[in-house]
Structures are given as structure tokens and as C-alpha cells.
Amino acid sequence: MHRFISILFCFYIALYGIAQITFNVKAPSKADINGQIRLQFELNGAQGGNFQPPSLKDFDILAGPNVSSSNSVTVINGRSQSFSSTTYTYILAPKHNGALQIGGASVNVQGKTYHTRPVTIQVSGKSNPNAAASSSASQASVNIQPAGSHIGANDIYFTAEVSKQQIYEQEPIMLTYRYHIREGVAVVNIMPTGKPEMKGFWTQEVELPRNLSPEAARIGGKLYRVGKNLQYLIFPQQSGKLNIPALSFRTDVVQRYSGIDEIDAFFNGGNNTHLTIERSAPSVAVEVLPLPQPQPTNFSGGVGQLSIKASLVTPMPKTNDVATLRIVVTGTGNLKLVKAPIVNFPKGFDTYSPKTNDKVRITPSGIEGTMEFDYTFVPRNIGKFTIPPVTLVYFDPQRKSYVTTSTQAIQLNIAKGTKAYTPIGAGSAEDIKDIDQKLDSHFTPSGALWIGSWSYWGLLAVILALCVLGNHFVQRIWEQHSDKQGRITKKAGKRAHKRLLQAQQLINADQSSSFYDALSAAITSYFAEKFKLDKAALTQQKIQEQLEAHDAPSELIGATKSILSDIDFGRFAPSSENTRQELYQRASNLLTSLNDSLR
């Protein structure tokens, strides 16, 4: 009996141990507004999956979720028992004071979902942005590598990604180049050494803001900063396996000399050194399928999801009036490569080549918007006419087939216009008048304006001079009115200082990257407008070349290079409010000096 009870007790303990699965949350009940909070979710007794994070709208996530797992095996009386646990850890910073709520998390274990209870943390204290910034700057300073540190292949690398690996001819896909920089490696400049060779593709570069702020990502257990560097929308023009070759990038890495004397650092340009590293994004292969054969005879060349409609810009044209029929192709795909649709106008209509107006924008799925085709025609005869439906044939990659869509027929009731033709010889006798034989006395041989007289030639010279001056004056007014780029260049300084005001409002912002983005936008927009360049193509080297070409003083060129480097460095190494205020003032003074010098 005693032995039976012992066996029953052991069975109960084993059963209890197996069934004991818990999922709990650990968080402090109180916290300081300037401190960091460690939040942990512990799953004990089993391995779980599909972890659903809690709602953390009142907190900034500094790190996490970091996942750690452990397994242990216990042997009792020759019997082994395993125990598993998984911990999900966050490092949080509170956004404001008060009772801040952390929502519940959930995890799936063997088909069953376990939930944690919501918890409340009482946050108090006086916010001290300067202390937080100082702490962040100190941490960034520690993270900068010492001079001479090895930069491995996994410390900085680039990737090339396409939105789809298998596509049809003319089907658009997005090609994106991204940089990956390991935490602790400070980079101040990233630029391609050339342009990617895309034989067999029609390309459209996607304009990206200069040096987009990177995002944090955990890769292989290490923290990286990941950001877009280049992006293209590409359209394959032939079938087969097309290859986009590798593309090289050059980066400037900042490293720090340790133990250098402050006076030596001052006279030697600081205690930082720049190291140039070159890396390549790998080649990308894309399989391009040919469009199905045979193609329809009236295939427009459009690939995507398209629609077509027609309307009269001139609602009630009359004979000999100039009228316009507008055909609008709308949708997503290779809109810019769509051929103008064929319109069969009635007999007796004079027609002209269509005028194309594109109203499109680039998106990750292709080119979206509308293509407008304006057909000018002139009806010559009175009566009722019909413009038959206009057909658009395109290929839909989703359906994998050709699609035909048409407009509605348009009915015209042409009335007689004021510009109707008058048959030759139909004029009445009243239209023929006798020639007046009386000549003005001024134009007689003895008159003041007789051809060849001094007064005649003098008046002719005055009229000619007035025509030349008037033509020159009108031409200057027209050039000033039509030179939109010239007006933009002339007012680049004023607009730059307006943009600087936006950066000034962000000096005290919680996220310093917003300030640096606004400051960078103000300066690069100024140079783009002043030098009439594409803002996406501006680099430090390009700006320096343009300043030298415009004979800018060397001290302004050096100040420009210095401030652009400080802005890039600030994105990766958070700074204090005083540092941001000083950088803003330097930028304002620089723009004023540049505007005076580059007039």
C-alpha cells in the first residue's frame, strides 16, 4: 500500500511538472522619466512561437525584442526531466510622466495561446533633455572604433534586391540598393563609384532624400543600421535571364585616436581620422518571360493594369472650329511606354498628330497615374457624325493574358460656324469699290512724307529704332517670365533660410535625426537650385566641384565640406542641444556668405 502511494505521488509530481507552462511579464512598478526600463516576458516549461509584442505607444523602444532561450535536464532516480524557458527582453524609454500602460503580449505553445496581463508603470521626475543627450553622445563616443581597428566584410556591406525575381517583358520591378553598417562603426559618407549597368532594361531612377536616416535591425545577433542608398524602377526590354552586374560603393569611416593630447588634437584637426572603404553590392539575376505569342495586331505595348476613356475638350464644335478629343489611359504599369491609341475620325475631318501629356508618379509597384493623348481635329461639314470607340490592348501580368478595353462612341452634331468657307466668285458687286483718287497732300512729291524726303527718312529711322528697342524690351520681359529656373536660382538663398527655420524648430526635438534631416534638406536644396542640379545626385564631391567652378573662396568651400560632414556624422552619433544650436548657426552664416559670393 505504501509503495502504491509513493508511485501515485511520483506520477502526480511528474504530471504536474509536465503541465506547468507559464508566461509572465516582469517590469518595474516605478521609473524615472530620464531612465531606461527593462521589460521581460518569460515563457517557462515549453518552447513557444509566434510571439505577439505588446502595445508600447507610451515608450520609445531603444532595443528589442532580444530573445534568449535555455534548456536544462534533471535526472532523478534514473529518470530525466527537461525544462525549457524563453525570455523576450525590451529596453524602453518613457515618453512622458504619468501612469504608462504596457499592453499584454501573447505566445503560441503546442496550438494553445498564452497571454500576459497588462501592467502599469508610474513614471515621474523632471525631464532633462540635456542629460539624455549627453548620455547618448557619451555612448556614441564610446561606440566609435579606435584608430587602426579592422573593418571586416560583415561590418559594412551592401545588398541589391529586386521586388520580383520572375517577370514578363515590360513589367516594372523595383531595384533597391541598401547599406548595412554594424553598430559601433561610424560612417559619414556613402556614394556609388558609378552607375549600375542595366543592359536590356529601360530604367527610371527613384529620387531619394539625401542620406536617408537608417533603421535599426538585428542581423545574425548583431545590431546594424540599414538604409536605402539607390533605387531604380526597371522595365525589361527583352526576355531571358538578364543580369544586373555588381555595383561598387565607397564609404568614409570615422575612427578615433585614443590617448591623444587635447592641444595636439586641436592643432592636428581633432582626434578623429577618416578611413575610405570600398564594398560592392552583389549582382542580381532576373528571369524575364516573353509576352505570349502571337501578339494582337493592335497591341499598345502596355503592360500592367490599365483602363481607357475618351472625352471632348471642346464640347460643341462647329464647322472649321479647332476641337480636341482627349484619350486618357489610367492605371499602373509601363504607362510612359504606351503607344498613342488609334482614333478613326469621320470623313471630312482634318486631323493632326496627338499631343502627349504624362501625369504619372513612380511607386514601388510601377508607374501610376494617367497618360493624356490630345487629338486635334477640324470638322469641315455640317451634320451628325460618330467617333467610333477607341480600343486599348494591353498585357496583364496578373491574368497572364492580353486584355482589350474600349471607350464609348462619341456622337457629334456639327452646326454651321462663323468660319465657314465662302465659294470663290460668290461675292456681290457691292464688294467692289472704286479707288479713291484723292491723295493726301502729305504724300505728294511736295509733301513732307514723300518717299525720299529727309523727313521721310528721319521718321523711318525713328520708327525702326522704336521697333528695335521695343523688341529688346519685350524679349527681356519674356525671358524673365519664361526662365522659371532662373527665378528659382535667384531666390535660392531666401528659400534656404526659410527651410532653416524648420530645422531651428527641431533643435530641441527628442529625435535629433529630424533636426539633421531638415538641416541637410535646407543646404542641399540651396545647392540644387543655385547650380541647377538634381538634388538626388548631389554629393560632397559634386558640391565642391561646383563651388570651385563658380570661383567660390577656398574658406567657403572648406566650411561647406566641414558642415556637410558634421551633419552626416550627427545622424550616426547623437549630439547635445548646444551642439545642434551651434551647427544651426554655422549653417545660417554659411548660406548667407555663399549667397553673397555666388551672385
Side-chain angles (χ1 to χ4, degrees), residues 515-548:
F515 165 76
Y516 288 106
D517 289 342
L519 194 62
S520 176
I523 294 176
T524 53
S525 296
Y526 170 78
F527 285 119
E529 294 174 356
K530 202 69 177 177
F531 298 144
K532 302 178 183 179
L533 295 174
D534 185 2
K535 186 169 65 174
L538 281 179
T539 61
Q540 287 192 26
Q541 184 66 27
K542 189 69 174 179
I543 292 172
Q544 182 177 344
E545 291 174 357
Q546 289 295 322
L547 288 172
E548 292 173 350

Side-chain angles (χ1 to χ4, degrees), residues 270-499:
N271 60 346
N272 289 341
T273 181
H274 285 225
L275 179 65
T276 300
I277 300 295
E278 189 166 316
R279 295 282 191 270
S280 295
S283 61
V284 182
V286 179
E287 184 182 358
V288 182
L289 304 176
L291 295 179
Q293 298 295 331
Q295 292 183 359
T297 55
N298 54 348
F299 177 49
S300 67
V303 176
Q305 290 76 45
L306 308 176
S307 62
I308 188 172
K309 64 179 180 179
S311 62
L312 280 175
V313 178
T314 309
M316 297 179 63
K318 297 181 180 180
T319 55
N320 299 313
D321 283 348
V322 178
T324 301
L325 172 69
R326 176 166 294 169
I327 305 296
V328 180
V329 178
T330 306
T332 302
N334 61 342
L335 280 168
K336 289 190 174 184
L337 303 179
V338 173
K339 301 174 186 176
I342 298 175
V343 180
N344 297 313
F345 286 97
K347 292 183 178 180
F349 281 46
D350 292 345
T351 60
Y352 305 89
S353 299
K355 176 185 176 182
T356 304
N357 182 27
D358 66 277
K359 297 180 179 179
V360 299
R361 62 185 185 276
I362 298 175
T363 68
S365 57
I367 294 180
E368 286 184 355
T370 60
M371 292 292 292
E372 294 179 352
F373 302 93
D374 288 345
Y375 297 77
T376 302
F377 65 94
V378 179
R380 295 302 187 189
N381 301 315
I382 302 172
K384 293 184 178 181
F385 300 91
T386 300
I387 299 178
V390 180
T391 301
L392 175 70
V393 180
Y394 65 94
F395 180 76
D396 189 337
Q398 295 181 359
R399 302 183 187 179
K400 299 181 179 180
S401 62
Y402 293 96
V403 179
T404 301
T405 181
S406 302
T407 66
Q408 297 291 328
I410 295 179
Q411 305 297 328
L412 296 175
N413 189 7
I414 306 299
K416 184 176 181 180
T418 57
K419 299 178 182 179
Y421 281 131
T422 301
I424 297 175
S428 62
E430 295 179 356
D431 293 334
I432 303 174
K433 304 292 183 181
D434 293 333
I435 298 176
D436 189 359
Q437 299 295 327
K438 296 180 179 180
L439 296 175
D440 192 281
S441 60
H442 292 291
F443 297 96
T444 61
S446 59
L449 298 180
W450 178 250
I451 297 175
S453 65
W454 286 105
S455 56
Y456 168 80
W457 290 113
L459 179 61
L460 188 63
V462 170
I463 294 173
L464 184 61
L466 290 176
C467 290
V468 172
L469 291 175
N471 179 67
H472 179 70
F473 180 72
V474 171
Q475 187 174 4
R476 284 195 61 184
I477 294 177
W478 176 254
E479 287 176 353
Q480 292 176 1
H481 177 74
S482 60
D483 187 11
K484 181 179 178 182
Q485 186 61 47
R487 297 199 304 272
I488 292 175
T489 302
K490 189 175 181 181
K491 297 181 180 180
K494 291 183 179 180
R495 276 192 290 270
H497 281 285
K498 286 183 180 180
R499 295 187 185 100

Side-chain angles (χ1 to χ4, degrees), residues 28 87 89 105 158 244 353 427:
T87 303
T89 303
F158 292 82
I244 301 172
S353 299

Side-chain angles (χ1 to χ4, degrees), residues 144-196:
I144 296 179
Q145 292 178 320
S149 296
H150 174 67
I151 305 296
N154 291 330
D155 294 330
I156 301 175
Y157 66 93
F158 292 82
T159 58
E161 305 168 2
V162 290
S163 55
K164 290 178 69 176
Q165 292 285 347
Q166 188 182 73
I167 53 176
Y168 283 94
E169 289 181 58
Q170 300 290 346
E171 182 182 357
I173 57 173
M174 190 67 73
L175 170 64
T176 304
Y177 291 93
R178 287 186 172 89
Y179 60 83
H180 301 70
I181 303 170
R182 187 175 58 80
E183 187 69 21
V185 179
V187 175
V188 295
N189 195 22
I190 302 174
M191 67 178 69
T193 59
K195 288 189 175 182

